[in-house]
Amino acid sequence: MNSSSRRRRLTAAALTALAVTTTATACGSGSDGAGSNAADSGTYTIWDPYPQFDKSSAWAKLLDQCGTEAGVKIKRTAFDTSDLSNKALLAAQQDNSADVLIVDNPVVSTLAEAGVLTTTDDNKLDTSKAEPNLLAAGQSGGKTYGTPIGANTLALYYNKAVLKEAGVDIASIKDWTSLTAALEKVKKAGKKGITFSAIGTEEGSFQFLPWFWGAGAKLTELDSTQAVSALSLWKDWLDQGYAPNSVINNTQTTSWQEFASGDYAFAENGTWQLANAEKAGFDYGVLPIPGADGANAAAPTGGEFVTVPVQGDTGRYAITQKLVSCLTSTENLYDTDTTLSYVAPTTEVQDKQVAADAELKPWVDAVKAARGRTSDDLGTKYPRISEQMWKAVQSALSGSQSPQDALTAAQSAVK
C-alpha cells in the first residue's frame, strides 16, 4: 500500500472537537518536528505537550533513557497543548505520525474517532494497573486508546487564618449546606468567601463540573433538577456576596490571584497551583470538593495519555510498545508525576507519593473520585455539551436568565 492510499480523512466531528480547550499547565510552543516517516529505522519520534522542559530536564533525559533501553534513538518534539492536537491530526493525514504521542486526555477520543490511534489491544499495552476512573478518559466505543501518565484535578484550597478568625472548623464541612454555612460565617467576620472560574470557556465548564456531578447530574441531561441545583448554588453564592461577581470573567489564574491576596477563605483550583500556594505567605489546606449530600464530588481529570498512533509501517509497533511501557513503569511514573505535579494513575505509585509527602493525600483522594470529561462514551459530543454548559453558567450568573431557563436552553441547543 502506498503512502497516499493510507492517508486518512478526518471526520467533521473530529475537527469540531478540537474546540476542546485543556486546563493543563503546559504552555509555550515547541519546534517543528517530523513524524515516524522522517525518522530512520533506529530513531523513534515522541511528541509531547511539555515545551517547558528542555533537553537538560529530567523528562527529556527519561525519554532518552527509555530509548537507550529499547536500543533506539529518540527524536522528541514539544508543542503547545492545542497546537499538538492539530499537528497530530495533520500528521495522520500525511501518514507521518509520531511513534509515541502524549496528549491531553479529552483529545484522545477525538483522535481515536478520526482513526489516528491504535487501541491497547492492538499495541499490547498493559493498562491493568491504571485506576479505572482515569483510564475511562481514554476509552471510546468499548476500546482503550492509551494509558494515563498522570492526573491533576480540582479541590478547594482554604486559608487557615481566615477560617479561624471566622470560627469555622474545616472538619465541619461535609456537604453544600455546611460549606455555605461556613461562607456565611466568613462574610460576617468581614472576610471574603470563595473564588472560582466561571469564564465562558472550557475553564468555566471544568470548574463547574464538580458541582454539577456533585449534585448527581449527567452531561446528557443539562436541564435536570440536579443540574439546576448546582447552578443555583453558584448563583446564590453571588447573590449573597459569598463569591465575587468577578468569577464571571475569572480564569483559573486570576481566580488564584484573588485567593493569593489572603482575603478569601476558599478557592477552587488545581494541583498546578501547589508551588504558588507555598509562596502565598499564609498557611493553607486542601479539601476535596464536597458533593451536595456529602462524600467527595467527582471533579474532572486533567493530565495526559500516552498513545500509539497508527503507522503505515506496522513493524515499528514492537519498539514503540517498549518505549511506552518504560515511560509508564512504576519507577518512572513516580519521578515523572513528581516533575509534572501530577497524581500518579496507579494506586501503587499514589501510595508512594503520599508516603513521601503527606500533604498530597487530599489530592490523591480527589483524583480517586475524579471523572474524565469524555467518559461515558461521550467522546466528541463533549465539546458541544461543554460549550452550552459554560454559556448557561454565564447567563445565570450574570442574571440574564434563571438557572432553570439557562440550562433548558442549553439542553435544547445540544439536541
Tab-separated table of all heavy atoms in Angstrom, residues 356-413:
chain	number	residue	atom	x	y	z
A	356	ALA	N	5.818	9.888	50.671
A	356	ALA	CA	6.898	10.873	50.557
A	356	ALA	C	6.431	12.275	50.934
A	356	ALA	O	7.221	13.090	51.397
A	356	ALA	CB	7.453	10.874	49.135
A	357	ASP	N	5.132	12.555	50.754
A	357	ASP	CA	4.591	13.887	51.039
A	357	ASP	C	3.130	13.732	51.459
A	357	ASP	O	2.231	13.638	50.619
A	357	ASP	CB	4.698	14.779	49.804
A	357	ASP	CG	4.226	16.207	50.064
A	357	ASP	OD1	3.787	16.493	51.192
A	357	ASP	OD2	4.295	17.034	49.130
A	358	ALA	N	2.886	13.749	52.757
A	358	ALA	CA	1.539	13.525	53.294
A	358	ALA	C	0.543	14.584	52.824
A	358	ALA	O	-0.670	14.332	52.791
A	358	ALA	CB	1.589	13.503	54.822
A	359	GLU	N	1.022	15.766	52.452
A	359	GLU	CA	0.126	16.827	52.011
A	359	GLU	C	-0.531	16.522	50.662
A	359	GLU	O	-1.469	17.209	50.248
A	359	GLU	CB	0.873	18.157	51.929
A	359	GLU	CG	1.298	18.685	53.302
A	359	GLU	CD	1.940	20.064	53.221
A	359	GLU	OE1	2.070	20.592	52.095
A	359	GLU	OE2	2.302	20.591	54.277
A	360	LEU	N	-0.053	15.489	49.983
A	360	LEU	CA	-0.656	15.102	48.713
A	360	LEU	C	-1.918	14.257	48.891
A	360	LEU	O	-2.654	14.034	47.926
A	360	LEU	CB	0.347	14.321	47.860
A	360	LEU	CG	1.488	15.124	47.235
A	360	LEU	CD1	2.423	14.200	46.489
A	360	LEU	CD2	0.948	16.201	46.298
A	361	LYS	N	-2.195	13.802	50.118
A	361	LYS	CA	-3.333	12.903	50.322
A	361	LYS	C	-4.663	13.491	49.849
A	361	LYS	O	-5.444	12.791	49.182
A	361	LYS	CB	-3.443	12.462	51.777
A	361	LYS	CG	-4.488	11.356	51.966
A	361	LYS	CD	-4.584	10.856	53.376
A	361	LYS	CE	-5.507	9.647	53.465
A	361	LYS	NZ	-6.834	9.850	52.807
A	362	PRO	N	-4.993	14.767	50.160
A	362	PRO	CA	-6.264	15.287	49.649
A	362	PRO	C	-6.353	15.259	48.130
A	362	PRO	O	-7.433	15.058	47.571
A	362	PRO	CB	-6.292	16.731	50.177
A	362	PRO	CG	-5.368	16.743	51.342
A	362	PRO	CD	-4.295	15.752	51.005
A	363	TRP	N	-5.211	15.456	47.481
A	363	TRP	CA	-5.215	15.426	46.024
A	363	TRP	C	-5.390	14.009	45.497
A	363	TRP	O	-6.084	13.791	44.494
A	363	TRP	CB	-3.925	16.043	45.486
A	363	TRP	CG	-3.858	17.509	45.720
A	363	TRP	CD1	-3.040	18.175	46.590
A	363	TRP	CD2	-4.669	18.520	45.120
A	363	TRP	NE1	-3.289	19.520	46.554
A	363	TRP	CE2	-4.283	19.760	45.656
A	363	TRP	CE3	-5.686	18.486	44.156
A	363	TRP	CZ2	-4.883	20.956	45.269
A	363	TRP	CZ3	-6.280	19.679	43.771
A	363	TRP	CH2	-5.877	20.889	44.326
A	364	VAL	N	-4.784	13.058	46.159
A	364	VAL	CA	-4.974	11.660	45.768
A	364	VAL	C	-6.442	11.274	45.952
A	364	VAL	O	-7.039	10.611	45.083
A	364	VAL	CB	-4.056	10.735	46.585
A	364	VAL	CG1	-4.426	9.270	46.357
A	364	VAL	CG2	-2.598	10.954	46.196
A	365	ASP	N	-7.037	11.702	47.065
A	365	ASP	CA	-8.459	11.419	47.296
A	365	ASP	C	-9.324	12.049	46.215
A	365	ASP	O	-10.293	11.449	45.738
A	365	ASP	CB	-8.893	11.944	48.676
A	365	ASP	CG	-8.277	11.164	49.825
A	365	ASP	OD1	-7.815	10.022	49.586
A	365	ASP	OD2	-8.254	11.686	50.952
A	366	ALA	N	-8.974	13.288	45.830
A	366	ALA	CA	-9.747	13.976	44.791
A	366	ALA	C	-9.617	13.266	43.449
A	366	ALA	O	-10.597	13.114	42.710
A	366	ALA	CB	-9.278	15.422	44.671
A	367	VAL	N	-8.411	12.800	43.127
A	367	VAL	CA	-8.196	12.090	41.858
A	367	VAL	C	-8.942	10.756	41.856
A	367	VAL	O	-9.490	10.340	40.832
A	367	VAL	CB	-6.689	11.890	41.607
A	367	VAL	CG1	-6.443	10.833	40.529
A	367	VAL	CG2	-6.050	13.212	41.202
A	368	LYS	N	-8.989	10.096	43.000
A	368	LYS	CA	-9.709	8.813	43.074
A	368	LYS	C	-11.200	8.989	42.799
A	368	LYS	O	-11.869	8.063	42.322
A	368	LYS	CB	-9.490	8.166	44.445
A	368	LYS	CG	-8.107	7.544	44.629
A	368	LYS	CD	-7.995	6.864	45.981
A	368	LYS	CE	-6.624	6.205	46.165
A	368	LYS	NZ	-6.403	5.088	45.215
A	369	ALA	N	-11.723	10.170	43.127
A	369	ALA	CA	-13.144	10.439	42.896
A	369	ALA	C	-13.393	11.114	41.555
A	369	ALA	O	-14.542	11.341	41.177
A	369	ALA	CB	-13.696	11.323	44.016
A	370	ALA	N	-12.322	11.427	40.822
A	370	ALA	CA	-12.439	12.230	39.599
A	370	ALA	C	-13.045	11.432	38.443
A	370	ALA	O	-13.161	10.209	38.484
A	370	ALA	CB	-11.066	12.770	39.209
A	371	ARG	N	-13.386	12.170	37.403
A	371	ARG	CA	-14.046	11.567	36.244
A	371	ARG	C	-13.555	12.258	34.976
A	371	ARG	O	-13.353	13.463	34.954
A	371	ARG	CB	-15.566	11.747	36.368
A	371	ARG	CG	-16.386	11.098	35.267
A	371	ARG	CD	-17.869	11.387	35.459
A	371	ARG	NE	-18.366	10.913	36.733
A	371	ARG	CZ	-19.615	11.094	37.166
A	371	ARG	NH1	-20.465	11.800	36.422
A	371	ARG	NH2	-20.000	10.618	38.330
A	372	GLY	N	-13.366	11.496	33.927
A	372	GLY	CA	-12.962	12.066	32.644
A	372	GLY	C	-14.108	12.822	31.998
A	372	GLY	O	-15.261	12.404	32.074
A	373	ARG	N	-13.787	13.936	31.357
A	373	ARG	CA	-14.831	14.730	30.717
A	373	ARG	C	-15.489	14.006	29.551
A	373	ARG	O	-16.658	14.228	29.256
A	373	ARG	CB	-14.239	16.064	30.239
A	373	ARG	CG	-14.017	17.061	31.345
A	373	ARG	CD	-13.087	18.188	30.915
A	373	ARG	NE	-11.687	17.796	31.039
A	373	ARG	CZ	-10.679	18.544	30.643
A	373	ARG	NH1	-10.908	19.706	30.052
A	373	ARG	NH2	-9.432	18.138	30.819
A	374	THR	N	-14.752	13.139	28.889
A	374	THR	CA	-15.305	12.407	27.747
A	374	THR	C	-15.700	10.979	28.119
A	374	THR	O	-15.983	10.165	27.245
A	374	THR	CB	-14.285	12.360	26.599
A	374	THR	OG1	-13.080	11.741	27.066
A	374	THR	CG2	-13.972	13.754	26.100
A	375	SER	N	-15.716	10.682	29.428
A	375	SER	CA	-16.122	9.349	29.869
A	375	SER	C	-17.582	9.090	29.511
A	375	SER	O	-18.283	9.974	29.010
A	375	SER	CB	-15.922	9.207	31.380
A	375	SER	OG	-14.559	9.333	31.732
A	376	ASP	N	-18.050	7.894	29.805
A	376	ASP	CA	-19.438	7.503	29.488
A	376	ASP	C	-19.699	7.547	27.983
A	376	ASP	O	-20.826	7.794	27.533
A	376	ASP	CB	-20.454	8.406	30.212
A	376	ASP	CG	-20.248	8.391	31.726
A	376	ASP	OD1	-19.937	7.320	32.269
A	376	ASP	OD2	-20.388	9.463	32.345
A	377	ASP	N	-18.635	7.329	27.212
A	377	ASP	CA	-18.735	7.278	25.754
A	377	ASP	C	-19.240	8.580	25.133
A	377	ASP	O	-19.823	8.581	24.053
A	377	ASP	CB	-19.629	6.109	25.300
A	377	ASP	CG	-18.803	4.906	24.856
A	377	ASP	OD1	-17.593	5.078	24.596
A	377	ASP	OD2	-19.359	3.798	24.769
A	378	LEU	N	-18.998	9.711	25.798
A	378	LEU	CA	-19.391	10.994	25.216
A	378	LEU	C	-18.489	11.345	24.032
A	378	LEU	O	-18.943	11.901	23.041
A	378	LEU	CB	-19.325	12.102	26.263
A	378	LEU	CG	-20.443	12.132	27.290
A	378	LEU	CD1	-20.220	13.261	28.274
A	378	LEU	CD2	-21.801	12.277	26.620
A	379	GLY	N	-17.195	11.039	24.183
A	379	GLY	CA	-16.258	11.274	23.087
A	379	GLY	C	-16.338	12.675	22.529
A	379	GLY	O	-16.308	13.662	23.250
A	380	THR	N	-16.525	12.777	21.197
A	380	THR	CA	-16.532	14.074	20.536
A	380	THR	C	-17.834	14.842	20.736
A	380	THR	O	-17.978	15.961	20.241
A	380	THR	CB	-16.266	13.904	19.031
A	380	THR	OG1	-17.191	12.945	18.496
A	380	THR	CG2	-14.851	13.417	18.785
A	381	LYS	N	-18.779	14.281	21.471
A	381	LYS	CA	-20.000	15.028	21.827
A	381	LYS	C	-19.699	16.031	22.943
A	381	LYS	O	-20.428	17.021	23.101
A	381	LYS	CB	-21.097	14.070	22.303
A	381	LYS	CG	-21.570	13.068	21.269
A	381	LYS	CD	-22.576	12.103	21.880
A	381	LYS	CE	-22.988	11.020	20.893
A	381	LYS	NZ	-23.906	10.024	21.532
A	382	TYR	N	-18.652	15.759	23.715
A	382	TYR	CA	-18.382	16.599	24.886
A	382	TYR	C	-18.176	18.075	24.563
A	382	TYR	O	-18.732	18.937	25.276
A	382	TYR	CB	-17.179	16.069	25.677
A	382	TYR	CG	-16.799	17.018	26.786
A	382	TYR	CD1	-17.580	17.104	27.948
A	382	TYR	CD2	-15.709	17.879	26.662
A	382	TYR	CE1	-17.273	18.017	28.943
A	382	TYR	CE2	-15.398	18.793	27.655
A	382	TYR	CZ	-16.176	18.854	28.794
A	382	TYR	OH	-15.876	19.776	29.771
A	383	PRO	N	-17.395	18.454	23.544
A	383	PRO	CA	-17.168	19.880	23.307
A	383	PRO	C	-18.454	20.684	23.127
A	383	PRO	O	-18.571	21.798	23.640
A	383	PRO	CB	-16.310	19.897	22.041
A	383	PRO	CG	-15.603	18.590	22.063
A	383	PRO	CD	-16.601	17.621	22.617
A	384	ARG	N	-19.430	20.123	22.416
A	384	ARG	CA	-20.697	20.840	22.214
A	384	ARG	C	-21.460	20.962	23.534
A	384	ARG	O	-22.028	22.015	23.845
A	384	ARG	CB	-21.549	20.122	21.171
A	384	ARG	CG	-22.860	20.844	20.864
A	384	ARG	CD	-23.552	20.250	19.649
A	384	ARG	NE	-24.833	20.899	19.386
A	384	ARG	CZ	-24.976	22.073	18.772
A	384	ARG	NH1	-23.913	22.726	18.369
A	384	ARG	NH2	-26.167	22.589	18.552
A	385	ILE	N	-21.463	19.900	24.312
A	385	ILE	CA	-22.133	19.924	25.618
A	385	ILE	C	-21.472	20.956	26.518
A	385	ILE	O	-22.139	21.757	27.184
A	385	ILE	CB	-22.085	18.526	26.269
A	385	ILE	CG1	-22.930	17.536	25.466
A	385	ILE	CG2	-22.567	18.587	27.716
A	385	ILE	CD1	-22.756	16.090	25.896
A	386	SER	N	-20.142	20.944	26.538
A	386	SER	CA	-19.401	21.862	27.392
A	386	SER	C	-19.670	23.312	27.016
A	386	SER	O	-19.844	24.179	27.887
A	386	SER	CB	-17.900	21.573	27.301
A	386	SER	OG	-17.157	22.520	28.025
A	387	GLU	N	-19.713	23.594	25.714
A	387	GLU	CA	-19.952	24.962	25.271
A	387	GLU	C	-21.307	25.470	25.757
A	387	GLU	O	-21.433	26.604	26.237
A	387	GLU	CB	-19.885	25.047	23.748
A	387	GLU	CG	-20.115	26.463	23.223
A	387	GLU	CD	-20.049	26.556	21.709
A	387	GLU	OE1	-19.881	25.503	21.056
A	387	GLU	OE2	-20.168	27.676	21.183
A	388	GLN	N	-22.319	24.625	25.652
A	388	GLN	CA	-23.649	25.035	26.121
A	388	GLN	C	-23.683	25.151	27.645
A	388	GLN	O	-24.411	25.989	28.190
A	388	GLN	CB	-24.708	24.047	25.622
A	388	GLN	CG	-24.856	24.014	24.110
A	388	GLN	CD	-25.064	25.405	23.510
A	388	GLN	OE1	-25.841	26.203	24.034
A	388	GLN	NE2	-24.375	25.689	22.412
A	389	MET	N	-22.888	24.344	28.320
A	389	MET	CA	-22.820	24.434	29.775
A	389	MET	C	-22.244	25.763	30.219
A	389	MET	O	-22.802	26.459	31.066
A	389	MET	CB	-21.984	23.279	30.342
A	389	MET	CG	-21.756	23.367	31.851
A	389	MET	SD	-20.722	22.035	32.481
A	389	MET	CE	-21.912	20.697	32.463
A	390	TRP	N	-21.097	26.159	29.643
A	390	TRP	CA	-20.493	27.408	30.102
A	390	TRP	C	-21.355	28.616	29.710
A	390	TRP	O	-21.390	29.606	30.430
A	390	TRP	CB	-19.047	27.536	29.656
A	390	TRP	CG	-18.745	27.990	28.254
A	390	TRP	CD1	-19.129	29.149	27.642
A	390	TRP	CD2	-17.916	27.308	27.296
A	390	TRP	NE1	-18.610	29.228	26.366
A	390	TRP	CE2	-17.851	28.123	26.123
A	390	TRP	CE3	-17.205	26.115	27.314
A	390	TRP	CZ2	-17.136	27.758	24.992
A	390	TRP	CZ3	-16.483	25.756	26.179
A	390	TRP	CH2	-16.453	26.564	25.035
A	391	LYS	N	-22.063	28.514	28.580
A	391	LYS	CA	-22.970	29.596	28.216
A	391	LYS	C	-24.101	29.718	29.231
A	391	LYS	O	-24.524	30.833	29.583
A	391	LYS	CB	-23.531	29.361	26.813
A	391	LYS	CG	-22.530	29.605	25.697
A	391	LYS	CD	-23.153	29.383	24.324
A	391	LYS	CE	-22.163	29.708	23.212
A	391	LYS	NZ	-22.751	29.473	21.862
A	392	ALA	N	-24.623	28.581	29.706
A	392	ALA	CA	-25.692	28.583	30.708
A	392	ALA	C	-25.197	29.180	32.018
A	392	ALA	O	-25.903	29.960	32.671
A	392	ALA	CB	-26.212	27.168	30.921
A	393	VAL	N	-23.982	28.816	32.413
A	393	VAL	CA	-23.403	29.357	33.641
A	393	VAL	C	-23.266	30.864	33.539
A	393	VAL	O	-23.627	31.611	34.463
A	393	VAL	CB	-22.029	28.700	33.928
A	393	VAL	CG1	-21.309	29.429	35.056
A	393	VAL	CG2	-22.215	27.224	34.292
A	394	GLN	N	-22.779	31.342	32.407
A	394	GLN	CA	-22.635	32.781	32.196
A	394	GLN	C	-23.984	33.499	32.259
A	394	GLN	O	-24.119	34.548	32.905
A	394	GLN	CB	-21.983	33.036	30.836
A	394	GLN	CG	-20.509	32.677	30.764
A	394	GLN	CD	-19.614	33.840	31.123
A	394	GLN	OE1	-19.621	34.880	30.482
A	394	GLN	NE2	-18.846	33.676	32.188
A	395	SER	N	-24.977	32.920	31.615
A	395	SER	CA	-26.301	33.550	31.588
A	395	SER	C	-26.909	33.628	32.981
A	395	SER	O	-27.489	34.653	33.367
A	395	SER	CB	-27.242	32.767	30.661
A	395	SER	OG	-26.824	32.874	29.312
A	396	ALA	N	-26.775	32.550	33.739
A	396	ALA	CA	-27.367	32.527	35.079
A	396	ALA	C	-26.641	33.450	36.041
A	396	ALA	O	-27.273	34.200	36.795
A	396	ALA	CB	-27.364	31.094	35.618
A	397	LEU	N	-25.311	33.423	36.025
A	397	LEU	CA	-24.563	34.239	36.980
A	397	LEU	C	-24.671	35.730	36.665
A	397	LEU	O	-24.615	36.569	37.569
A	397	LEU	CB	-23.089	33.815	37.008
A	397	LEU	CG	-22.802	32.389	37.495
A	397	LEU	CD1	-21.304	32.198	37.714
A	397	LEU	CD2	-23.566	32.049	38.760
A	398	SER	N	-24.841	36.059	35.381
A	398	SER	CA	-24.986	37.471	35.007
A	398	SER	C	-26.392	37.987	35.270
A	398	SER	O	-26.636	39.198	35.244
A	398	SER	CB	-24.647	37.665	33.530
A	398	SER	OG	-25.604	37.005	32.712
A	399	GLY	N	-27.321	37.057	35.520
A	399	GLY	CA	-28.703	37.447	35.806
A	399	GLY	C	-29.578	37.580	34.584
A	399	GLY	O	-30.749	37.959	34.688
A	400	SER	N	-29.066	37.252	33.413
A	400	SER	CA	-29.875	37.382	32.200
A	400	SER	C	-30.915	36.276	32.069
A	400	SER	O	-31.924	36.447	31.373
A	400	SER	CB	-28.976	37.405	30.960
A	400	SER	OG	-28.263	36.191	30.815
A	401	GLN	N	-30.674	35.141	32.720
A	401	GLN	CA	-31.637	34.044	32.749
A	401	GLN	C	-31.583	33.378	34.115
A	401	GLN	O	-30.561	33.440	34.806
A	401	GLN	CB	-31.320	32.991	31.674
A	401	GLN	CG	-31.635	33.397	30.245
A	401	GLN	CD	-31.368	32.257	29.270
A	401	GLN	OE1	-30.236	31.791	29.126
A	401	GLN	NE2	-32.416	31.779	28.617
A	402	SER	N	-32.670	32.721	34.492
A	402	SER	CA	-32.655	31.918	35.711
A	402	SER	C	-31.842	30.665	35.448
A	402	SER	O	-31.664	30.263	34.286
A	402	SER	CB	-34.081	31.528	36.105
A	402	SER	OG	-34.614	30.596	35.161
A	403	PRO	N	-31.332	30.004	36.490
A	403	PRO	CA	-30.609	28.752	36.265
A	403	PRO	C	-31.426	27.730	35.474
A	403	PRO	O	-30.896	27.067	34.576
A	403	PRO	CB	-30.312	28.267	37.689
A	403	PRO	CG	-30.170	29.532	38.473
A	403	PRO	CD	-31.221	30.440	37.900
A	404	GLN	N	-32.715	27.627	35.783
A	404	GLN	CA	-33.566	26.678	35.062
A	404	GLN	C	-33.671	27.029	33.590
A	404	GLN	O	-33.484	26.177	32.709
A	404	GLN	CB	-34.953	26.656	35.689
A	404	GLN	CG	-35.943	25.728	34.968
A	404	GLN	CD	-35.601	24.259	35.109
A	404	GLN	OE1	-35.760	23.681	36.186
A	404	GLN	NE2	-35.116	23.628	34.039
A	405	ASP	N	-33.956	28.294	33.283
A	405	ASP	CA	-34.112	28.703	31.889
A	405	ASP	C	-32.799	28.578	31.116
A	405	ASP	O	-32.790	28.173	29.946
A	405	ASP	CB	-34.612	30.147	31.816
A	405	ASP	CG	-36.064	30.288	32.254
A	405	ASP	OD1	-36.759	29.261	32.346
A	405	ASP	OD2	-36.488	31.429	32.516
A	406	ALA	N	-31.689	28.924	31.772
A	406	ALA	CA	-30.385	28.844	31.109
A	406	ALA	C	-30.047	27.405	30.736
A	406	ALA	O	-29.561	27.133	29.625
A	406	ALA	CB	-29.299	29.438	32.015
A	407	LEU	N	-30.305	26.502	31.651
A	407	LEU	CA	-29.977	25.090	31.385
A	407	LEU	C	-30.967	24.434	30.439
A	407	LEU	O	-30.604	23.540	29.669
A	407	LEU	CB	-29.892	24.328	32.709
A	407	LEU	CG	-28.662	24.675	33.564
A	407	LEU	CD1	-28.777	24.113	34.969
A	407	LEU	CD2	-27.384	24.172	32.894
A	408	THR	N	-32.215	24.880	30.457
A	408	THR	CA	-33.186	24.381	29.499
A	408	THR	C	-32.780	24.765	28.080
A	408	THR	O	-32.824	23.961	27.152
A	408	THR	CB	-34.594	24.936	29.801
A	408	THR	OG1	-35.019	24.475	31.081
A	408	THR	CG2	-35.612	24.475	28.746
A	409	ALA	N	-32.327	26.009	27.926
A	409	ALA	CA	-31.856	26.474	26.622
A	409	ALA	C	-30.603	25.705	26.202
A	409	ALA	O	-30.431	25.365	25.020
A	409	ALA	CB	-31.564	27.965	26.680
A	410	ALA	N	-29.738	25.419	27.175
A	410	ALA	CA	-28.507	24.677	26.877
A	410	ALA	C	-28.826	23.274	26.370
A	410	ALA	O	-28.249	22.816	25.376
A	410	ALA	CB	-27.627	24.598	28.120
A	411	GLN	N	-29.747	22.612	27.022
A	411	GLN	CA	-30.108	21.248	26.615
A	411	GLN	C	-30.740	21.254	25.238
A	411	GLN	O	-30.464	20.368	24.411
A	411	GLN	CB	-31.060	20.628	27.635
A	411	GLN	CG	-31.439	19.180	27.345
A	411	GLN	CD	-30.248	18.228	27.376
A	411	GLN	OE1	-29.243	18.506	28.012
A	411	GLN	NE2	-30.365	17.118	26.669
A	412	SER	N	-31.572	22.247	24.947
A	412	SER	CA	-32.202	22.339	23.630
A	412	SER	C	-31.147	22.556	22.548
A	412	SER	O	-31.247	21.986	21.452
A	412	SER	CB	-33.206	23.496	23.614
A	412	SER	OG	-34.278	23.251	24.505
A	413	ALA	N	-30.141	23.370	22.842
A	413	ALA	CA	-29.081	23.646	21.866
A	413	ALA	C	-28.247	22.411	21.583
A	413	ALA	O	-27.811	22.190	20.451
A	413	ALA	CB	-28.190	24.780	22.373
